[in-house]
Amino acid sequence: MTTQRRLWIRWWCGLLVLAVVASLATARPADAAPVETYAKYYVVTSSYQGEPERLSVITQRFLGTTARTTDVLHLNAGRVQPDGGRLTDPDTLRPGWIIVLPWDAYGEGVRYGMLSAVGAPTPTPGPRPSTDPTPRQSPAPDTGRCAVAAGPQTGSDWARQELAAEQAWALTEGSGVLVAVVDSGVDGSRPALGGRVTTGVDIVAGNERGDVDCLGSGTAMAGIIAARADGTETGGGIAPASAVLPVRVVTTTPQARAADVATGIEVAVSAGSTVVALGGYVDPATPEVAAAIRAALAHDVVVVAGAATTTDPATGPDDADGLLRVAGVGADGQLAADYRSGAVDLVAPAIDIATLVAGRDGTRAGSGTQYAVAFVAGAAALVRAALPNLDAAAVAHRLRVTANPAASRVPDPLTGFGMVDAGAAVTARLSEEERHDELATLGDDASPGPAAVAALVVLLLAAAAGGLAWWSRRFRDRPGGTIPDDVPSHDHQHRHDDDLPARPPADRIG
């Protein structure tokens, strides 16, 4: 076999190796590990009221209607049960099977905990919340026993004018975004919040509703975020089409336990909140709360917390890209507290704010960092609704870089990137996001699916076959089948002079 032929065989084998490597490099892993998630569920018993358990009866017990039996069936169809079986017939359930329930399921027997895709759940002690992301029109409980007296209505609505949220409303008002308010609960009976507040959860009581508020701060935050402008009570929230999930971590005493706050954040994430606003009773620096914040960020949730003051530890984990630390300011730019230097991302209105009052009609003037948190949470809800492809870190980045600087250089130690600008946060075009989209497109192209891999293999094989056919035809067309002069060959390069054809006579040259 000539050297040339060996070179072509090596080239052919190289292409085959490339094809195999390409197919293996893009192969999908065989079986992913089971994914764990928090969920409401029910463990099937041998019988209920003397009758075998059926899915329609379970749905009636915990959802109040059999019309949603199909929904429950879809949640559980194909799911591997602890005994290895699968739900295929809604009338055939085995004792010990785990039936996953919607978030608005409620009643004796409903459990809440970490549920893996395969196997038994790991129950989580504590509340069994009703946290349907879609607000229900169930009447809120009577709040007269803990009503907050209304104060004088403020004559200034400077805060909402400062944020210019109306500039974003042509694109979005926050529809489809669930914002969790981790504070004192929310008075869901307020007309301005009608249809915008879910039942929520009372972490302190364990199994009570969260749409009741004895201290009033949670209701004020919810109004800043999602109240509609009705012309009588308030100028409207920053994201008036968003929904609020009230997570109650304090009741009548203005002091929250770190364990309750951590559980509240966990429940908010599990319920589908994509923005979490931490009220003034929350200390993000405690280890339990910091861990819960980090877990929320890992689940692509924007977390907004008050900036730490000089007497407080730093706010939350340091390496948290989706965490926004907010300081409060007044209309004159005066800070609402003595905040820790270098611990502020954004500032927002927090002094002389017109807020809703729990338990009574009207508004009152309020001040506090928790109101600044609510304004930034509302702006984050607008961004999440308008730009759903952005992750939590990108949403936080957009809010920072579109803020109105309060100092000549940003980030400033005391005011961070400046006053949050809800309108610009939604409408601005950022070059870094456009570059990221281009890179993402390239990344998608660099990870072909099975069809693309097959096409690549076919292309390589076709190229190899075509190259071999071209070389064979060229070799065959040469007189005597000699090796082409322009093809390198060890034998061809080392022929002796006496192997060359004789030089023609001089009189024939020219």
Side-chain angles (χ1 to χ4, degrees):
M1 181 183 296
T2 65
T3 301
Q4 167 134 22
R5 192 178 294 273
R6 285 196 298 269
L7 288 175
W8 277 102
I9 292 175
R10 290 173 185 172
W11 183 69
W12 170 271
C13 293
L15 285 177
L16 289 178
V17 170
L18 286 177
V20 173
V21 170
S23 61
L24 292 176
T26 55
R28 299 179 181 271
D31 292 313
V35 178
E36 292 188 341
T37 182
Y38 281 94
K40 284 187 175 182
Y41 64 92
Y42 170 72
V43 179
V44 177
T45 61
S46 57
S47 64
Y48 176 73
Q49 294 183 347
E51 297 291 333
E53 294 258 55
R54 298 198 307 270
L55 204 62
S56 58
V57 177
I58 294 174
T59 306
Q60 176 68 45
R61 285 166 57 193
F62 301 132
L63 296 172
T65 177
T66 59
R68 297 179 63 184
T69 302
T70 302
D71 296 340
V72 179
L73 178 61
H74 288 165
L75 282 174
N76 294 274
R79 181 181 180 84
V80 180
Q81 296 294 334
D83 64 356
R86 297 174 186 268
L87 174 61
T88 57
D89 183 355
D91 292 330
T92 304
L93 304 178
R94 300 177 191 172
W97 277 13
I98 298 164
I99 303 301
V100 179
L101 299 172
W103 277 104
D104 54 340
Y106 189 82
E108 187 66 29
V110 176
R111 303 183 186 183
Y112 176 75
M114 185 75 76
L115 198 63
S116 64
V118 180
T122 303
T124 298
R128 296 193 297 269
S130 176
T131 50
D132 182 7
T134 303
R136 295 186 295 168
Q137 299 299 321
S138 55
D142 181 18
T143 59
R145 58 185 173 85
C146 60
V148 179
Q153 182 171 350
T154 180
S156 172
D157 197 24
W158 72 274
R160 290 171 177 81
Q161 297 174 9
E162 183 74 29
L163 265 68
E166 295 87 349
Q167 297 179 10
W169 291 349
L171 298 175
T172 181
E173 294 185 355
S175 178
V177 177
L178 182 64
V179 182
V181 175
V182 183
D183 197 77
S184 61
V186 175
D187 182 1
S189 67
R190 294 304 309 268
L193 293 173
R196 285 158 172 76
V197 180
T198 70
T199 304
V201 57
D202 186 336
I203 301 295
V204 180
N207 59 354
E208 299 293 334
R209 305 162 64 117
D211 56 347
V212 60
D213 188 3
C214 292
L215 298 178
S217 56
T219 301
M221 292 178 67
I224 292 171
I225 295 169
R228 63 171 174 266
D230 57 8
T232 58
E233 289 193 321
T234 175
I238 301 302
S242 63
V244 172
L245 172 70
V247 180
R248 200 178 189 206
V249 294
V250 294
T251 54
T252 58
T253 303
Q255 186 175 1
R257 297 187 306 168
D260 288 341
V261 174
T263 301
I265 295 173
E266 188 177 82
V267 170
V269 174
S270 301
S273 303
T274 55
V275 179
V276 173
L278 303 179
Y281 308 111
V282 174
D283 182 3
T286 59
E288 301 99 319
V289 177
I293 291 174
R294 187 175 285 107
L297 299 173
H299 284 80
D300 194 28
V301 176
V302 177
V303 179
V304 187
T309 63
T310 54
T311 60
D312 298 329
T315 299
D318 295 331
D319 56 345
D321 290 337
L323 173 64
L324 291 170
R325 304 165 299 174
V326 184
V329 296
D332 58 357
Q334 183 69 32
L335 290 172
D338 188 10
Y339 298 103
R340 180 188 292 270
S341 178
V344 177
D345 295 309
L346 295 167
V347 297
I351 299 176
D352 190 28
I353 307 300
T355 64
L356 293 176
V357 184
R360 297 190 181 182
D361 295 337
T363 61
R364 67 174 180 176
S367 298
T369 304
Q370 69 270 20
Y371 302 138
V373 168
F375 279 113
V376 174
L382 291 178
V383 175
R384 301 229 79 163
L387 302 167
N389 293 330
L390 296 184
D391 61 17
V395 171
H397 172 76
R398 173 171 274 268
L399 288 166
R400 292 188 187 103
V401 300
T402 58
N404 294 317
S408 58
R409 299 182 63 181
V410 294
D412 179 75
L414 295 179
T415 60
F417 288 82
M419 175 71 75
V420 64
D421 187 333
V426 171
T427 60
R429 296 186 61 182
L430 303 183
S431 58
E432 57 265 38
E433 289 179 357
E434 295 174 356
R435 289 196 300 271
H436 180 271
D437 291 342
E438 293 174 358
L439 292 175
T441 301
L442 291 175
D444 292 340
D445 292 341
S447 301
V453 172
L456 176 62
V457 172
V458 171
L459 180 62
L460 289 174
L461 293 177
L468 185 61
W470 171 82
W471 181 85
S472 299
R473 184 171 58 254
R474 190 176 181 194
F475 179 79
R476 186 175 58 251
D477 292 344
R478 298 280 300 181
T482 60
I483 300 174
D485 293 337
D486 56 350
V487 177
S489 169
H490 181 273
D491 296 336
H492 187 58
Q493 292 175 357
H494 293 81
R495 288 184 297 178
H496 296 289
D497 292 341
D498 52 6
D499 294 332
L500 299 176
R503 185 181 183 88
D507 54 355
R508 295 180 57 185
I509 297 177

